[in-house]
Every structure is written in structure tokens, then in C-alpha cells.
Amino acid sequence: MARLIRSRTFQLFRVLIPSWRFFDVADPMPVLEFRLAAGDGDLGPWTDAIGVPYERKAWQLFWNATENERLARHSLVRQLLDDVNDAVEEDISRSVSYELVRSLVLDRISRKPPGERRRFQFRMTLGSEEILLSPEEDFAE
Amino acid sequence: MSGIGLSFHLLALAVLIQTAELLAIRRSWSDEGIWRWPVLRREFANFPSWFLFPLDALLSERGFHGLLWIRLLGSVIALFSPPNAALLAMFFITTLLIALRWRGTFNGGSDTMTALVSFGLWEAVYFGDTPWLARGGLALIAVALTLSYVVAGAAKLTHSAWREGKALGAFLRIPGYDHPPAWAKRVLEDPVRARRASHAILAFECAFPLAWLHPAICAAFLSVGVIFHLANFAVFGLNRFFFAWLAAYPILLAWTRGSV
């Protein structure tokens, strides 16, 4: 039953199934990071790929687009963690979650100066455990 | 203004804000962004073609852009019109489509509450001449609102971290929620105040069914609820929850007054 509820098809329609268990357990959240290399040298330090929240202002009660998108990014990384745990694909890099998370990383990298982004790699960690490490890839402009 | 009328206008405001926010982040759901439809549609590959065809039309970048503009326009019209079944049906269907586009929900429970209030109000307005059906729609909203608090409270109550007042501080250390405002940090770093805050939340959520007893009690609970959701916005940034839940409040209040 638990596996059915976690299945991707079930999750697609979960808006119709109320689950009001808000904030009951402080589960650790996965962290997504990436690193870059400007040329053929070593990759640089790991950098957060999701972004940190802005200092909240009262007017954001009516307009919080950027923050809500940031929360959606967290949910996406959480979906990838679930897919890894449930082994939805033999090769996780073929899964929709992986591809979307890779797009998320590319979106972050595209905001960096062109000279800093020749190659990239990303990883997902949970606490001190590395859950997923992507292969190094060339960044296509 | 009747409970249905007020609820309808608050729902329109919730839908307006949700939709404008989604339009503002088009870069994220464009074909060059993160949530690209050509990738997302693979999850629907096993669905029948009669289901996939309209999804392709409505959830591709161009279709989704049009869908959001129609939803935005509908919400603006709803702000100034009496309760309208066609607009409510549109809010319900577009909420489901947006949720599908975001692999289940964009903003968790706020999408579910938006869908429930839209559907419940639609049923009440569309079947206005059939009292038991109309009341059924309103009952759906009132019961869902109550359960949203009671289930959340009961789930928290089973965890010692909540009973001991340690849970709130733990949530503020989770990535994504780890930049609370300074006042929230001060409160939650003080064990006594953190425990009081935890117990206040547990008491409010678990005792919420008492709101059904009398309109004055209901008004008191809903007033606390407004403060509760404002605090959730301030600490966690959950602005959509505030408006989605607010839209359900007039229905419960009207129900306790016997005016539905």
C-alpha cells in the first residue's frame, strides 16, 4: 500500500487526496549542490543549487512567486530522492525526476558568468550521506 | 454578503494570486526551463491517448500560458461578480491541471484546499435549487477545513518532539525553511517559549471541532486561525495557504449560524 501511494502515477493525482499531516515530523531534506570547472582543470567547491530564501517582507503575503518556486525546487529534489529510494528506474539518470533536477542545475549554472562554466557535476546529499553523484558533463552554451 | 458570496470572492483572490505568481515564473516551466513539458509528459506515456491529447494541448508551454491567462481573467471577473458555477468549475479544473503540470501539486496542501473549496462552492451554486446537494458541497468545505486542522494536530500529538516543544526549532533547521525571521528565531531558541508555542498550536488544531458548537466559538477559532496562518507565512513563507484556507472560513461560520 505504501509503495502504491508513493508511486509516481498516484502522486500525479494527489491534489485530489487531502493529506493534512502538515509539519508533523522534521524529516531531513535532501540537499542539491553543483560544482563547476572553468577549463580542463579540477572542479571547484560544491555550491547550493536551490538558493536561499530572501528576508521575508509583509507584502510577500500577496506576492511570493520566487519563494514558492524555490519551495517547488525543494519538492523536486525530494521527488528525486523518493525515486532513488524506490528504484523507479534501473538507471536513475533515465528518470523524469533526474532529468528535471539536471535542468534545475543547468538553470542555476546559466546564471553564472560564461567563463566559469565549462564543465559541471551535481550531487544530492541527505545529512552526511551522498545519495547521488552525477557524472561530469560539459556545459553546452 | 452571504457565506457563499464571501467565500467565492476570497477564493477568487486566492486564485488570482496563485495564477499571477505562476505566470511570473514562466522561465521555470518553459521548454528551456526546469519543468519542461516534453520531459514531464513521459510520466503520462502509459495513459490513454484521449487523456494525453488534451494534456498536450493544455500543458505544453504555449497551452499552459494560455490556460493561466484564462484562469487569471476568470479570477478578476469573479472578484466583481456574484457566485458563478462556470467560473468555479473553471477554477476546479485548472487547479487540477496545474497540479498535474507540477507532478502532483505546486504548493502542497494549498492546491488541495483550493480544489476542495472550488468544487464545494461549485456544487452549492450549481445545485442551488436542490438543497441537499447544495448543502453537501458546503459540508464538504466545512468538514475538510476542520479535518485539515484536526488531522494535522493529531499527527503532531503522536510525536514527542511536538509535545516537548522541540519540533518547531527542528523545522527551522531544515533546508528551505532555515531562514526564519529574527523574532521567530528568538522565540524558538528559548525552550520555554518554544514549548508554549508548540502547545498553543496543538491545542488550536486538536480543539478545532469545538468551532462547530456555536457561531461565537467558531468566530474565535477562525480569528486564531487567521493569526496562525499569518505566522506560518512569516516563518515558512506559505502565503498561498493563508488565502486558500481563508476562502473556506465563511462557509464554516455560516454553517454554525444555520445560514446555509
Side-chain angles (χ1 to χ4, degrees):
Chain A
M1 186 65 182
R3 196 174 168 83
L4 171 72
I5 290 171
R6 283 161 66 99
S7 73
R8 181 70 13 231
T9 305
F10 188 91
Q11 290 294 314
L12 284 173
F13 295 94
R14 71 179 189 273
V15 72
L16 292 170
I17 303 137
S19 167
W20 305 126
R21 298 170 68 96
F22 301 121
F23 294 102
D24 56 335
V25 187
D27 282 332
M29 284 284 279
V31 172
L32 183 70
E33 297 170 306
F34 67 94
R35 56 183 181 177
L36 297 170
D40 296 329
D42 292 340
L43 288 156
W46 290 108
T47 308
D48 168 66
I50 295 182
V52 293
Y54 297 109
E55 192 182 334
R56 204 157 291 122
K57 301 280 190 284
W59 55 263
Q60 284 178 287
L61 181 64
F62 298 93
W63 186 258
N64 207 19
T66 310
E67 281 294 283
N68 282 321
E69 195 227 334
R70 194 180 54 76
L71 292 176
R73 290 174 183 224
H74 275 291
S75 298
L76 174 56
V77 178
R78 178 84 223 182
Q79 287 161 4
L80 177 60
L81 176 68
D82 289 343
D83 285 359
V84 170
N85 288 338
D86 294 344
V88 292
E89 294 271 358
E90 205 167 299
D91 175 4
I92 194 66
S93 68
R94 293 164 62 93
S95 72
V96 170
S97 295
Y98 182 94
E99 203 161 321
L100 295 176
V101 165
R102 184 176 172 276
S103 299
L104 191 164
V105 172
L106 290 173
D107 180 68
R108 289 288 287 180
I109 295 172
S110 68
R111 295 161 201 245
K112 296 271 182 188
E116 293 180 18
R117 54 190 202 199
R118 180 85 178 271
R119 285 181 298 120
F120 73 97
Q121 183 178 38
F122 63 92
R123 71 175 180 182
M124 179 172 64
T125 57
L126 188 65
S128 57
E129 187 185 357
E130 187 174 87
I131 305 291
L132 182 146
L133 178 67
S134 79
E136 286 182 33
E137 288 185 62
D138 288 332
F139 182 81
E141 297 291 344
Chain B
M1 190 183 287
S2 71
I4 293 177
L6 184 56
S7 181
F8 177 72
H9 289 117
L10 288 169
L11 176 68
L13 179 62
V15 171
L16 173 65
I17 292 170
Q18 292 171 7
T19 314
E21 285 185 347
L22 285 174
L23 280 165
I25 57 162
R26 180 174 182 174
R27 176 186 160 126
S28 284
W29 48 264
S30 72
D31 284 351
E32 284 76 44
I34 302 168
W35 288 271
R36 309 164 183 212
W37 178 244
V39 177
L40 289 164
R41 81 184 295 281
R42 279 170 33 201
E43 294 192 306
F44 301 93
N46 295 329
F47 285 68
S49 56
W50 60 262
F51 187 79
L52 201 50
F53 177 74
L55 285 192
D56 270 332
L58 294 167
L59 301 186
S60 63
E61 182 184 352
R62 197 170 161 199
F64 196 56
H65 190 237
L67 178 97
L68 291 179
W69 271 107
I70 290 169
R71 192 175 192 248
L72 188 81
L73 186 65
S75 66
V76 172
I77 293 169
L79 277 177
F80 302 101
S81 76
N84 179 292
L87 287 173
L88 287 163
M90 188 268 280
F91 291 162
F92 177 67
I93 292 165
T94 53
T95 302
L96 300 190
L97 288 167
I98 289 167
L100 278 178
R101 187 64 165 73
W102 294 87
R103 312 182 81 203
T105 63
F106 173 69
N107 195 235
S110 72
D111 295 340
T112 301
M113 188 55 95
T114 304
L116 278 168
V117 175
S118 302
F119 183 82
L121 285 179
W122 169 80
E123 187 181 328
V125 173
Y126 189 78
F127 295 106
D129 296 334
T130 315
W132 70 271
L133 269 175
R135 282 174 66 87
L138 301 179
L140 173 77
I141 297 171
V143 170
L145 177 67
T146 306
L147 285 176
S148 73
Y149 293 121
V150 179
V151 172
K156 290 183 181 81
L157 205 54
T158 61
H159 297 288
S160 59
W162 269 100
R163 297 194 300 272
E164 292 164 8
K166 295 173 184 164
L168 280 169
F171 280 109
L172 296 184
R173 288 189 287 276
I174 293 177
Y177 296 120
D178 52 352
H179 285 70
W183 63 265
K185 236 177 187 170
R186 276 198 302 278
V187 168
L188 299 175
E189 280 170 359
D190 174 354
V192 176
R193 287 198 286 180
R195 192 162 57 243
R196 282 181 190 155
S198 293
H199 290 171
I201 291 169
L202 288 174
F204 166 69
E205 291 188 330
C206 293
F208 196 84
L210 297 175
W212 288 72
L213 294 178
H214 190 276
I217 301 174
C218 183
F221 267 96
L222 297 184
S223 302
V224 175
V226 169
I227 296 167
F228 173 69
H229 285 289
L230 284 175
N232 275 341
F233 158 69
V235 177
F236 298 118
L238 304 174
N239 67 320
R240 291 173 171 229
F241 284 70
F242 177 78
F243 293 104
W245 260 253
L246 205 64
Y249 280 13
I251 301 302
L252 180 59
L253 190 59
W255 193 283
T256 61
R257 284 179 174 159
S259 56
V260 294

